[in-house]
Amino acid sequence: MRKSARYSTLAAAGLLAVSSLTACANDAASTTSTGSGKGTKVKIMVGGLDKVIYLPAMLTQRLGYFDAEGLNVELLTEPAGVQAETALVAGQVQGTVGFYDHTLDLQTKGKAVESVVQFSRAPGEVEIVSTKAAGDITSPKDFKGKKLGITSLGSSTDFLTKYLAVKNGVKVSEFSPVAVGAGATFISALQQGSIDGGMTTDPTVATILDKKAGKVLLDMRTPEGSQKALGGPYPSSSLYMQTNWVNGHKDTVQKLVNAFVKTLKWMSTHSAAEIAAKMPADYSQGDKALYTQSIESTLPMFTDDGVMPENGPETVEKVLKAFNPNIQKADVDLGKTFTTEFVEAAK
């Protein structure tokens, strides 16, 4: 019963153009990670496969849990969650591993999409300021007139940056969001001064701190950090799917959720080093210790059961309503943005 329901290499350090659907599909295909080739075929687009916030996607495959459920899951990757969302709406994939907040935004656009398993209870995001700008930006109140990096326009980093600004008295028109992706492009933009700061996740955060290229302004990798910055739990990483597809393929969705819940439970009983050892070698970019550290720093954001955190949807709605005219004018039915049906059965 429903209860309401890797580093990407880019040409320019300061810009990330939103690709056409065809370009998205081609780029994703080049970084595809496939399963055993047996079982029910499912394509899932991930908003950055090597990002620690989306780690459960690849880890589930590496642990063999998709295979155990009789699934042949093809994991594809896009550098930003909004592009992963686009692939889902276009029908190129059956599911997206991305931020839950997109389900609310899509509902206002007439698209019925719902989270079927919730990986997290905090954003996992960090607001970083460049070492050079650290003296001028000591809180979001100082965002006025600044260039702030986000993965792409319309992304969750864009949403959260706007909220932090508005919450602290800075209008969205008073600062410049700059689409710089994540990983090497974000770091380059920060070092070259293309941005004064920005929002990103691990392992990019760990690399920036290791290079002493920036400092942490706000840390939302823990429930406590989410509470402080956003006023409550902020469910972010999730598997969301089109509601019609879910209703027509409940057996397949249940198997997917079973696999992900097993992974979340496994993560809760294993160390960051043990988790890192299961991931593809290239994810560590040649520094296993730093990669392990990035996982350690982000682990607190994850749930251990896939259940939507209490009051999480309400926090997300509050954040979006602070700056998003579409959400402000809409009567969002939060009960249709997620379902606990499958995680309850997975228990």
Side-chain angles (χ1 to χ4, degrees):
M1 180 179 72
R2 292 185 185 276
K3 281 193 176 181
S4 4
R6 110 174 320 189
Y7 291 121
S8 294
T9 302
L10 303 175
L15 297 172
L16 176 63
V18 177
S19 307
S20 66
L21 291 178
T22 300
C24 287
N26 289 340
D27 178 60
S30 68
T31 50
T32 294
S33 175
T34 58
S36 64
K38 300 176 182 178
T40 304
K41 179 76 172 182
V42 181
K43 288 185 178 182
I44 296 176
M45 186 67 78
V46 184
L49 259 176
D50 69 330
K51 293 179 183 178
V52 179
I53 58 170
Y54 299 141
L55 181 150
M58 179 58 74
L59 182 58
T60 301
Q61 190 173 89
R62 303 283 286 190
L63 290 171
Y65 292 160
F66 289 138
D67 288 346
E69 291 289 334
L71 299 172
N72 174 22
V73 174
E74 183 178 6
L75 298 175
L76 304 122
T77 187
E78 281 289 0
V82 66
Q83 295 167 353
E85 167 201 296
T86 299
L88 176 69
V89 173
Q92 296 177 335
V93 296
Q94 287 75 55
T96 292
V97 169
F99 269 41
Y100 161 74
D101 53 21
H102 290 292
T103 66
L104 279 72
D105 187 49
L106 284 168
Q107 188 180 118
T108 68
K109 298 171 183 176
K111 306 294 182 182
V113 175
E114 61 187 13
S115 165
V116 297
V117 56
Q118 195 61 47
F119 299 162
S120 63
R121 50 191 176 171
E125 301 282 353
V126 176
E127 185 68 26
I128 291 276
V129 294
S130 70
T131 301
K132 181 179 178 180
D136 297 324
I137 307 175
T138 59
S139 85
K141 294 179 181 179
D142 302 320
F143 283 176
K144 188 174 181 178
K146 299 300 189 291
K147 295 173 291 185
L148 302 176
I150 56 175
T151 52
S152 65
L153 297 175
S155 67
S156 295
T157 52
D158 187 18
F159 293 163
L160 288 171
T161 301
K162 287 176 177 175
Y163 173 74
L164 292 174
V166 171
K167 179 187 176 185
N168 289 275
V170 180
K171 298 177 182 178
V172 294
S173 60
E174 293 180 322
F175 71 93
S176 302
V178 185
V180 293
T185 54
F186 186 102
I187 296 169
S188 178
L190 196 68
Q191 293 176 317
Q192 294 177 13
S194 300
I195 57 174
D196 300 300
M199 191 173 292
T200 192
T201 62
D202 277 311
T204 307
V205 174
T207 303
I208 290 170
L209 298 180
D210 185 60
K211 292 176 177 288
K212 294 180 170 55
K215 298 182 178 180
V216 173
L217 181 67
L218 287 171
D219 191 338
M220 297 178 284
R221 291 175 290 188
T222 67
E224 295 78 16
S226 178
Q227 179 70 43
K228 183 177 180 180
L230 306 173
Y234 196 91
S236 56
S237 307
S238 66
L239 172 66
Y240 63 82
M241 315 177 86
Q242 296 202 59
T243 300
N244 284 342
W245 198 90
V246 172
N247 291 337
H249 302 80
K250 289 198 171 189
D251 184 57
T252 299
V253 175
Q254 186 64 64
K255 291 176 179 179
L256 284 167
V257 173
N258 290 345
F260 280 125
V261 170
K262 286 179 187 176
T263 296
L264 292 168
K265 290 186 182 299
W266 188 92
M267 289 170 61
S268 71
T269 58
H270 289 75
S271 69
E274 290 172 316
I275 295 171
K278 289 290 184 180
M279 301 303 285
D282 58 345
Y283 280 25
S284 67
Q285 296 289 299
D287 193 330
K288 196 66 172 281
L290 190 63
Y291 181 59
T292 299
Q293 179 186 318
S294 72
I295 293 175
E296 180 73 36
S297 298
T298 306
L299 274 178
M301 72 175 278
F302 294 107
T303 69
D304 61 2
D305 56 9
V307 175
M308 175 66 73
E310 188 175 358
N311 299 322
E314 288 81 5
T315 303
V316 173
E317 183 179 32
K318 179 198 71 174
V319 166
L320 297 181
K321 275 191 172 182
F323 65 86
N324 188 321
N326 291 332
I327 301 291
Q328 291 169 351
K329 298 173 184 177
D331 183 14
V332 177
D333 187 341
L334 294 177
K336 293 182 178 179
T337 62
F338 73 99
T339 175
T340 59
E341 172 184 355
F342 302 99
V343 290
E344 288 177 350
K347 291 178 183 179

